[in-house]
């Protein structure tokens, strides 16, 4: 009986992806960038420079998890006054809600490659489901680090008003914001 329980526990461990590798986010290759139209004339762009998080990935089982957060006060558009306005209570309320966070719920695959990551995005204390579609994804042996690195370029479009970001909607600013997330993780 004891041997059967041990085998059952081992089988359960295998089926739950317990052999997933952990990856440390490479901060020099991981950014969340946003794009929003500006009166139909141009596109405002920015990114969040400070981030932290964890990635677990099991290629064989085709499973994984991501938990990454971005420091809202690290928003960088290249224009300091615009950055301050984005951080203000009118838009991102960085003082009250210092982190934006994405936590995955499911990895989707096309063959052996990640094709999308489903999860929940929390911004301004509100959580909404989002799916990050992979434009590209690969794992490679880094010649500099001598370790495996996995990463990709993902995108989604969110309705910012679902998170309470309503600034400028009455003036004609679009509700939709395109998010582009590039991420690479170094196998630990």
């Amino acid at each position: 009986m004891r041997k059967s329980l041990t085998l059952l526990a081992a089988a359960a461990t295998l089926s739950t992806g317990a052999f997933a590798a952990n990856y440390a986010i490479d901060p020099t290759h991981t950014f969340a960038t946003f794009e929003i139209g500006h009166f139909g004339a141009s596109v405002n762009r920015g990114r969040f420079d400070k981030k932290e998080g964890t990635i677990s990935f099991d290629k064989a089982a085709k499973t994984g998890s991501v938990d990454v957060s971005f420091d809202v006060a690290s928003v960088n558009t290249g224009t300091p006054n615009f950055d301050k306005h984005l951080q203000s209570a009118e838009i991102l309320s960085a003082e009250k809600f210092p982190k934006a966070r994405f936590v995955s719920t499911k990895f989707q695959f096309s063959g052996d490659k990640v094709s999308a990551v489903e999860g929940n995005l929390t911004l301004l204390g509100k959580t909404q489901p989002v799916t990050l579609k992979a434009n590209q994804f690969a794992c490679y042996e880094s010649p500099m680090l001598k370790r495996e690195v996995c990463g990709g370029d993902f995108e989604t479009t969110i309705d910012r008003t679902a998170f309470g970001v309503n600034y400028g909607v009455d003036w004609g600013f679009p509700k939709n914001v395109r998010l582009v997330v590039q991420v690479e993780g170094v196998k630990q």
Side-chain angles (χ1 to χ4, degrees), residues 143-176:
M144 293 177 283
L145 301 173
K146 309 293 186 222
R147 289 161 73 190
E148 181 183 58
V149 175
C150 292
D153 194 67
F154 299 84
E155 72 175 272
T156 193
T157 299
I158 62 167
D159 175 350
R160 64 189 174 98
T161 62
F163 297 92
V165 183
N166 300 311
Y167 181 82
V169 171
D170 294 339
W171 302 336
F173 288 146
K175 293 179 181 182
N176 289 340

Side-chain angles (χ1 to χ4, degrees), residues 51-123:
K51 59 278 188 180
E52 62 186 8
T54 59
I55 300 170
S56 180
F57 184 55
D58 186 333
K59 288 184 273 188
K62 295 186 178 179
T63 61
S65 65
V66 173
D67 185 344
V68 63
S69 60
F70 294 87
D71 182 344
V72 175
S74 74
V75 68
N76 182 353
T77 62
T79 307
N81 286 338
F82 187 36
D83 296 346
K84 286 180 184 170
H85 188 222
L86 289 170
Q87 294 167 10
S88 76
E90 278 189 313
I91 302 179
L92 295 175
S93 197
E95 190 173 307
K96 186 173 180 183
F97 302 102
K99 300 278 185 194
R101 182 178 180 200
F102 176 78
V103 178
S104 68
T105 55
K106 180 182 178 186
F107 277 37
Q108 295 178 17
F109 283 77
S110 177
D112 290 335
K113 293 191 177 210
V114 175
S115 60
V117 178
E118 297 175 26
N120 293 305
L121 176 64
T122 302
L123 182 65

Side-chain angles (χ1 to χ4, degrees), residues 42-56:
S42 62
V43 176
N44 286 328
R45 292 179 174 89
R47 72 180 194 189
F48 298 95
D49 289 337
K50 293 182 182 174
K51 59 278 188 180
E52 62 186 8
T54 59
I55 300 170
S56 180

